[in-house]
């Protein structure tokens, strides 16, 4: 920026890309968790008091019409992957500014996030700091604003992803099947029934799994399996 001072031009440098506050638009918040939704909405209203905020649990609850432009779309990382499909029109609009609130703790969520057209990422632990205002500002360049805790979380998840590709132990198909049953909370007897083998055969598979994963109990073995991607996560089943 150049200014005339006493017939002499002086130049002052502006560090970082110029930003523009989007308080003249509308903020749409999507988060399935009611408690988290309240906290995030409060942070948004404090950071951009002149922008109306609409908060919903799912994309199906978005009001038809009434959303001002430009639009800031704030989406929790806990939003169901299938719930993103109805947002395609909003995501592809040039005047839509997309902010992700990071609350994920799994590698699968990290992989889903990689394909999301983001302008900013804010960790839930950074909601009380200046990170929200920074995320709501429209950046003139193509960079993505990422809050401090978000950087740490993303690097951690990326590291776990890379490590799992390199160090995941090699199990036989029957051992993986046994491990999947363990991850689902099944007993040896239940696993044996599902696999069509004896309970003694399951115990032998379990012993091999413990040896290969360097674990002493089922809980640790399942934790290692989920972390390294040997078996996918699924809720415990009641049998």
């Amino acid at each position: 920026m150049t200014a005339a001072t006493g017939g002499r031009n002086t130049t002052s440098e502006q560090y970082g890309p110029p930003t523009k506050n989007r308080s003249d638009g509308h903020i749409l918040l999507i988060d399935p968790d009611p408690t988290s939704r309240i906290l995030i909405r409060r942070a948004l209203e404090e950071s951009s008091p002149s922008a109306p905020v609409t908060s919903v649990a799912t994309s199906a609850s978005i009001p038809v019409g009434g959303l001002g432009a430009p639009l800031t779309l704030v989406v929790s990382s806990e939003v169901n992957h299938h719930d993103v499909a109805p947002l395609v029109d909003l995501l592809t609009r040039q005047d839509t500014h997309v902010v992700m609130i990071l609350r994920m703790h799994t590698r699968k969520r990290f992989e889903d996030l990689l394909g999301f057209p983001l302008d900013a990422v804010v960790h839930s632990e950074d909601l009380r700091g200046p990170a929200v205002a920074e995320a709501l500002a429209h950046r003139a360049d193509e960079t993505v604003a990422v809050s401090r805790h978000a950087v740490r979380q993303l690097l951690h998840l990326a590291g776990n992803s890379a490590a799992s590709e390199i160090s995941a132990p090699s199990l036989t198909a029957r051992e993986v099947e046994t491990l999947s049953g363990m991850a689902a909370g099944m007993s040896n007897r239940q696993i044996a029934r599902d696999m069509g083998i004896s309970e003694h055969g399951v115990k032998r598979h379990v012993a091999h799994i413990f040896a290969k994963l360097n674990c002493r109990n089922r809980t640790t073995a399942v934790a290692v399996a989920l972390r390294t991607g040997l078996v996918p996560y699924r809720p415990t089943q009641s049998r």
Side-chain angles (χ1 to χ4, degrees):
M1 183 171 60
T2 303
T5 305
R8 181 179 57 188
N9 289 336
T10 61
T11 301
S12 64
E13 295 182 354
Q14 183 178 25
Y15 294 95
T19 60
K20 178 183 177 182
N21 193 285
R22 298 176 65 87
S23 60
D24 56 339
H26 198 114
I27 299 176
L28 173 62
L29 166 63
I30 305 177
D31 190 333
D33 183 80
T35 301
S36 172
R37 197 161 61 244
I38 292 174
L39 294 175
I40 296 173
R41 175 165 187 157
R42 186 177 302 163
L44 293 172
E45 291 173 339
E46 291 176 353
S47 298
S48 187
S50 62
V53 179
T54 298
S55 59
V56 296
T58 67
S59 58
S61 303
I62 298 176
V64 179
L67 295 179
L71 175 68
T72 296
L73 178 61
V74 182
V75 185
S76 165
S77 60
E78 297 304 308
V79 168
N80 188 288
H81 185 63
H82 301 292
D83 198 38
V84 175
L87 302 175
V88 171
D89 290 340
L90 290 178
L91 291 172
T92 54
R93 273 172 39 180
Q94 290 187 348
D95 62 351
T96 298
H97 186 72
V98 185
V99 179
M100 174 71 73
I101 304 298
L102 195 62
R103 295 199 291 115
M104 65 186 183
H105 301 284
T106 66
R107 179 179 141 200
K108 180 63 173 65
R109 289 290 185 183
F110 170 65
E111 292 172 346
D112 289 343
L113 178 63
L114 292 178
F116 217 83
L118 299 175
D119 295 294
V121 182
V122 180
H123 197 281
S124 56
E125 294 186 18
D126 294 320
L127 290 176
R128 294 184 179 181
V132 176
E134 173 71 13
L136 294 178
H138 177 65
R139 301 175 68 84
D141 59 13
E142 296 298 321
T143 61
V144 176
V146 184
S147 71
R148 179 178 300 179
H149 282 89
V151 170
R152 294 175 181 173
Q153 181 72 7
L154 290 172
L155 289 175
H156 173 71
L157 291 171
N160 282 350
S161 178
S164 66
E165 294 175 359
I166 297 173
S167 60
S170 177
L171 302 181
T172 67
R174 296 299 266 175
E175 288 168 352
V176 171
E177 192 174 354
T178 301
L179 191 53
S180 296
M182 293 164 57
M186 298 167 61
S187 66
N188 286 349
R189 180 174 298 178
Q190 292 169 335
I191 296 172
R193 185 181 63 218
D194 275 17
M195 294 177 62
I197 61 177
S198 68
E199 191 171 347
H200 177 74
V202 172
K203 290 180 179 179
R204 186 171 62 251
H205 287 320
V206 171
H208 290 164
I209 290 169
F210 284 176
K212 290 183 177 181
L213 300 187
N214 193 27
C215 298
R216 296 183 178 181
N217 55 60
R218 295 167 72 98
T219 300
T220 306
V222 169
V224 171
L226 293 174
R227 188 172 65 248
T228 57
L230 283 171
V231 297
Y233 171 76
R234 55 177 175 170
T236 301
Q237 300 175 355
S238 299
R239 298 199 174 204

